[in-house]
Amino acid sequence: FAELGVSASTLPTVMDIFLFGASEIYFEACLLQMFSIHSFSIMESGVLLAMSVDHFVAIYNPLRYTAILTLPCIAGTGAAVGLKSVMFMFPLPFLLKHLPFCGHNVLPHSFCFHSDLIQLPCGDTRPNSILGLCIVTSTFGLDSLLIIISYVLILYTVLGITSGEGRQKALNTCVSHICAVLVFYVPVISMALVHRFMKHAAPALRLLLANVYLLVPPVLNPIIYIVKTKQIPQEIIQLFPQSKC
C-alpha cells in the first residue's frame, strides 16, 4: 500500500512531463504531491521496522508468536505507522504555503520534494529546514537504527541455536526482509548524502538517485518476495486455468 501510494503520487506529473510535455504544476498540487510522497515513504519505513520486530519475535520466541503478535496488535501497529506518517508531515505544507515566492521557480525533478521546495522561497526557510531535518532523523534515522538493533538481537538469538539446520532456517526467514530494507534505505541514504554534502554534484546524478528512490523499490520488492515466498507464485498460478495438451 505504501509503495503504491508513492507511485500513484508521482505518476501524474511524470506522465504529464514525458507524454504531454507539460512543464508546470500548481503550487497547491505540488504541496499535495510533496505531502503524499514523504508520508508514504515514512509509512514504508515504519512497515519495514514492524517487519523486523516480527522476524525477531518469530525467531526468539516462536512458540508464543501468535500469542504476542495478535490481530489487534498488528492492526494497532499498522494504525500507529499510518498516523505517524501523516502527523509528522502535516505541518510542512502549511509552513511552505506562507512563505513568499519570487522569480522563476524551477524544480530539478519531475516531482515535488521538500528539500527542493525550500530552496525556492525568498523568505526565511530555517524553520522548514530544521523541522524537515527533525522529521528525517526521527523517522528514517530512528527506524533504521531500530532495524539494526533488531537484527543484532536476531543474530545473537540465531548464534544460540545449536542445530546448524535450525540456524540456516532462521536466517532464511530474514533474507527477503533484508533485501527490502537495502532496496529502500540505500537510495534514501544516497540521495540524502548527495543533497546535504554534494551540493555541486551533477544534476543528472541527483535526478537518477531521486528516480531510483521512488521507482526501484516498488519494482524490486514484489520480485524479492515472489522468489523467496513459494506460496505467492503458487497462488498466482492457481488464478489461471491450466491448459491441457
Side-chain angles (χ1 to χ4, degrees):
F1 177 77
E3 289 177 347
L4 286 173
V6 172
S7 299
S9 301
T10 58
L11 184 62
T13 51
V14 173
M15 295 283 286
D16 275 350
I17 291 171
F18 291 104
L19 293 182
F20 306 109
S23 58
E24 295 181 350
I25 184 173
Y26 288 107
F27 183 55
E28 290 76 12
C30 189
L31 292 179
L32 178 62
Q33 186 182 59
M34 178 203 73
F35 175 82
S36 301
I37 290 173
H38 292 303
S39 295
F40 282 115
S41 297
I42 293 172
M43 185 185 299
E44 184 168 359
S45 177
V47 170
L48 290 172
L49 172 59
M51 291 171 69
S52 68
V53 175
D54 172 86
H55 283 77
F56 170 69
V57 174
I59 293 173
Y60 179 75
N61 201 344
L63 297 179
R64 297 193 64 240
Y65 175 81
T66 54
I68 296 172
L69 296 179
T70 60
L71 187 58
C73 176
I74 296 171
T77 302
V81 168
L83 184 63
K84 182 188 78 169
S85 63
V86 173
M87 293 301 295
F88 270 83
M89 284 301 302
F90 190 75
L92 290 183
F94 295 98
L95 288 175
L96 282 168
K97 179 73 173 176
H98 292 91
L99 287 173
F101 287 80
C102 51
H104 190 57
N105 300 308
V106 179
L107 293 171
H109 303 112
S110 53
F111 24 76
C112 299
F113 279 139
H114 179 257
S115 56
D116 296 329
L117 286 172
I118 61 174
Q119 306 296 325
L120 302 178
C122 308
D124 184 14
T125 61
R126 282 178 295 179
N128 304 70
S129 183
I130 293 171
L131 181 58
L133 182 60
C134 291
I135 291 173
V136 170
T137 304
S138 56
T139 54
F140 297 115
L142 183 60
D143 289 349
S144 59
L145 177 62
L146 293 175
I147 289 172
I148 292 172
I149 293 173
S150 297
Y151 271 98
V152 170
L153 295 174
I154 287 172
L155 185 61
Y156 179 78
T157 304
V158 169
L159 291 177
I161 300 174
T162 56
S163 168
E165 184 180 352
R167 289 182 185 180
Q168 184 178 1
K169 185 177 179 181
L171 290 174
N172 280 338
T173 62
C174 302
V175 172
S176 298
H177 181 253
I178 292 172
C179 292
V181 169
L182 292 175
V183 164
F184 178 77
Y185 275 105
V186 169
V188 168
I189 295 171
S190 301
M191 191 173 66
L193 290 175
V194 168
H195 274 273
R196 290 284 174 182
F197 304 110
M198 300 174 62
K199 296 187 181 294
H200 299 292
L205 176 61
R206 295 189 178 192
L207 185 62
L208 175 64
L209 289 175
N211 283 290
V212 168
Y213 160 60
L214 291 176
L215 303 177
V216 170
V219 173
L220 289 186
N221 280 336
I223 298 173
I224 291 169
Y225 280 96
I226 283 177
V227 170
K228 291 299 297 181
T229 309
K230 295 180 180 179
Q231 292 90 339
I232 295 176
Q234 288 173 357
E235 291 293 332
I236 293 175
I237 292 172
Q238 290 179 3
L239 292 177
F240 300 95
Q242 299 295 320
S243 59
K244 296 181 180 180
C245 298

